[in-house]
Every structure is written in structure tokens, then in C-alpha cells.
Amino acid sequence: MRRLSGKSVYKGIALGPAVVLKKNEYPVQRIKAADADTEILRLKKAAERTAVKLQQLYKKALKEAGEAGAALFKVYQMILEDKDYLDVIQNMIRREMVNAEYAVFVTGAQYSEMFAGMEEEYMKARAADMKDISDRLIRSLTGYEENEPVFTEPSIILAEDLSPGETVQMDKEKILGFVTVHGSVNSHTAILARMMNIPALLGVPVDLDAIHTGMKVVVDGLKGEVIFEPTEEICIQARERIHEEKEKLLLLKSLRGKESITSGGRKIRIYANIGSVGDVEYALENDAEGIGLFRSEFLYLGRTDFPTEEEQFAVYRQVVQRMAGKKVVIRTLDIGADKMADYFNLEREDNPAMGFRGIRICLKQPKIFKTQLRALLRAAVFGNLSVMYPMITSVWEVKRINEIVEEVRKELEEEQIPYKMPEQGIMIETPAAVMISDELAALTDFFSIGTNDLTQYTLAIDRQNERLDDFFDTRHKAVIRMIHMVVENAHRAGKWVGICGELGADTGMTETFVNMGVDELSVAPSMVLKLRKTVREM
Ligand code: PEP
Ligand code: MG
């Protein structure tokens, strides 16, 4: 038995088998082939295995993300079946008498380069697909895929680090907990763990090579501890606590359908934060009164090309329809910093958190922004949809957004495509936006305070930097005073104001926020009923 400590991001407890996630490390070497036919046979077998795997991924994506989300895997299958591609690889094996891995690697790189140099955006984007397909083939050839986690049963994931992209792709039903060597508690991966309602420990100094898949592990989010190969006694205690937590959850569930109102009669709306259509289930299960933040950028992660207008429209429409008339606030693309997608081709920056991100990308590349806005305005016809813009710092940005939205509206009108103008608000997550919130209030329908970034920018502490977690004081007086100022400026202009950053879920602050007059708190679905309990006990 061995215990290690880490930083906890969700205070639950989990017991289960470990699954170790290792990053792709497969150096491709050029090796002289003894026999070309043997290499070609290996290639064909690997292509067959990859095709089977892609079919499985297609089915999984179809179930979880619908036809639009699954389409990519069909494209991959088509590329893999393309005769030209496999012929070029086979020719190289025969001509140069090299191993199949090397021929796939070189051919994949050549195709990728060719696509990247094309004029049309759609063709350009196929470059990343070619690379991904080649990688999959190489993994199949090297047998690397056999080391990939096989989630036959719910497991505890151990990894060096997890990007938000990797996290969103995981099968949530099969994850009991997370343990990572690196990572900050304010990162989006941590936020995702909270949204998924699973115990997660970051910054655990574990040697992943010493852990084998299947090893029994307890993750104790309350104590911030992970126990490897626990004794039977510890397993019994863990099972008891898991049972107690389930009971507590049942008690909380009795608050479903009840109002979030204090004994003195003050009401506050308690909404949920989501990152995908799938999360709507958690929001409904926990009786969220609406969705206060749909981080739409998660739709752009873990893929090789921009989601199309139709794909986005299908997702937004599904979310508002599932919420059946309850308010759904969809935040426009907030990519950048820790949320990266290769196909954006963003340059490396020294200070990405203060760099080209969020609304800045949308304003500089209006084509991307307009595609999303078209999808949002169209989806607004199907339910109670609001749009919110991230990372605002200046009045001109809001004015420019309003102009672009108007252009999009006119286009839809001319094309006779049904649309509805949604309620539109902005996020207050920079000190600049706080200080001019009186002026901004006149230009927008509502404010939603993003305390994660507001804290990062106010305290000058990178939320991604795990070494600064002890300095990241989420209840810092400066931030609380700012929230107060924003609430007053919003109300003076007759606008509503919510909090959608993680601080909104801090039950030790709920009374302060209610007394300040905050109209809405939007939190991880698992926190909705806990907050309602706190409000009702006030
Ligand atoms: C925030 O900054 O508080 C917020 C809600 O947005 P995100 O965490 O996605 O940056
Ligand atoms: Mg933010």
C-alpha cells in the first residue's frame, strides 16, 4: 500500500482499477525491410484493424454527439480506404525496401503538406486528417494501440497531464476518478472534472511507470490523497463512504422541484455550466433552473477542423430543445490559452492567457465568428437561447460585436432563413470590464461574471500555473469588491447579473452573493442542489 497527496478539485471518493494514459511516443525509424511482401501484408492488416477501430469510434460518437459529431470518423474511414494513399505507401515499401511504419510516416507527411498548401479552406483542413490517419496506422503497426486504455469497466485515470481536449473525448460513464502528475486546480481540465462529478487529484508525484493498469486505487478527494493497492480495511471504509455519499445525494435530490429561496423570501436563480450536449442530462438530473454557461469552445476541441454552421446549429438546437423553455446562455467561442485546437494555426505566444484568444480571435477572424452567430440565431427559434461574449475589455468591442451580429441578422433575413434575435450579454472577467461596467451595461442585456479569469487578471496569477495555486485566493477582497461594483452598475441600468466562474459554487460565499443582489449563480451541475440547500437554509 502506498499513499500520495495531491490537490483536490472535487471532494468525492472513488475506488477502482487504474488505467494509465501515456502520451504518444513512438519514434518512427527507417529500417531496411528484408521482404517487401511481408511489410505490405503488415500494412494491410494494420489498415483493417484501424478501420474496425474507426467504425467503433463512429458508433460511440454517433451515440454521444449525433451524426454531425460522428461524421469525422466516416471521413477517416474514406481516407483509409482510398486506393491512391495505400498504393503510394506500398510503392515506397517496394521501391526503397523500407519498413511499413516509415513508409506510412513519409507518405502521411507528404499528403499532409500537399493539402496544407491548397487554396480552399476545406482542403487545407484535410492536412490534419492525413496526419491523424497516419498516426493511427503507425500506432496499429507498432502495436502501441494495445497499450491504449481499454475501458472495459469504470476506472481511475492516471496521467502525466490531461488537456481539456483529451478530457472531453473521454467516455464519462467509464471514469471513476482522475489522478494527474501536473495541472492547476483552476485549469479547464479541473473544471471539467468538477462538471463530471468525479474525484480528481492534480499534482500527485506519482511514477506512472510503477503503476500498472488494473492496480486497485482509492482517490480520496476530501483528504486530497490517493492510495495505491489499499488494504482490505481501507477498501471497506471507501465503500462505506461511497455509499454515504450516494445517500447524501439522494437527500439532496429531494430538493428537486423546490425553489431556490431564502427563508426571508429572497430568490436567486441557480443554473448549470455545461460543455456539451451530453452535459444537459446532468443539468436536468440536478434540476438546474437553466444553463448559465455553455462553453461552446469545447465543440471546437478534440477535432481536426472547424465545426460547420450545420453541426453547431444541430448542437445548440438540441440543447435549447432539451431544456424545454428554460434559459440557455451560450458563450461564443473562447479558444486560446489552455484550450487549443491545431487547425486554428495560432502562433505560439509567450503569454497566451493575455494573448490572442476568445473574442479577440472572433473579431479578427469574423468568418469564424459569423458561422457561429448564424448557428446561434437560427437555434434561437427553437427555445430560450441567450448569447454571451467572453473576454470583453472595451466598449468598442461590444459595439463591433453588435455590428457583426446585425450583419449576420441581415444575411439570414435576405436568405429567408428562420432566425430569432437572442438576448445578448457579456462576460465580466477582466478588471477593465469591471471598471467600465457602468458604460458596458448600457450596451448589453446582461452581465455574467467569470471569476476564474477575473481572479487571474486581478491578482496577476496565471490560473494554469500549478506552482501558484496557493496564491490564487478565490475569495480575495479585491475580487469580491469588483463583483459588488458590477452588480450595482448592472442593476442601476436595469440589467441582470450572474456569476458563472467557479466561485459561484463556493457555498461559503452564497449568503454574500444573495445579499449583494446577484440574480443568478451558474455552477457545475453537481453543485446545483447543494447551493439550493444553502440558499433555503439562509
Ligand atoms: C471564468 O473565467 O470565470 C469563466 C467562467 O470562463 P472560463 O473558466 O471558461 O475561462
Ligand atoms: Mg474565462
Side-chain angles (χ1 to χ4, degrees), residues 331 334 357 427 429 453 463:
R331 172 173 79 185
D334 189 18
R357 58 170 292 194
M427 288 198 66
E429 52 184 342
D453 278 317
R463 66 193 263 197

Side-chain angles (χ1 to χ4, degrees), residues 334-340 349-358 360 391 429-430 453 456-457 461-465:
D334 189 18
I335 209 99
D338 61 328
K339 290 172 288 195
M340 283 299 194
E349 294 175 300
D350 286 340
N351 261 321
M354 295 192 184
F356 194 49
R357 58 170 292 194
R360 299 167 187 178
M391 289 298 296
E429 52 184 342
T430 63
D453 278 317
Q456 142 162 282
Y457 298 125
I461 292 176
D462 177 2
R463 66 193 263 197
Q464 287 298 115
N465 188 336

Side-chain angles (χ1 to χ4, degrees), residues 186 188 191 273 293 295 297-298 331 334 338-339 357 388 391 427-429 449-454 463 500-502:
N186 306 298
H188 282 93
I191 290 173
N273 293 347
L293 167 65
R295 289 181 164 96
E297 59 277 9
F298 286 134
R331 172 173 79 185
D334 189 18
D338 61 328
K339 290 172 288 195
R357 58 170 292 194
M388 152 164 104
M391 289 298 296
M427 288 198 66
I428 302 287
E429 52 184 342
I449 306 174
T451 51
N452 310 332
D453 278 317
L454 186 57
R463 66 193 263 197
C500 64
E502 297 296 289

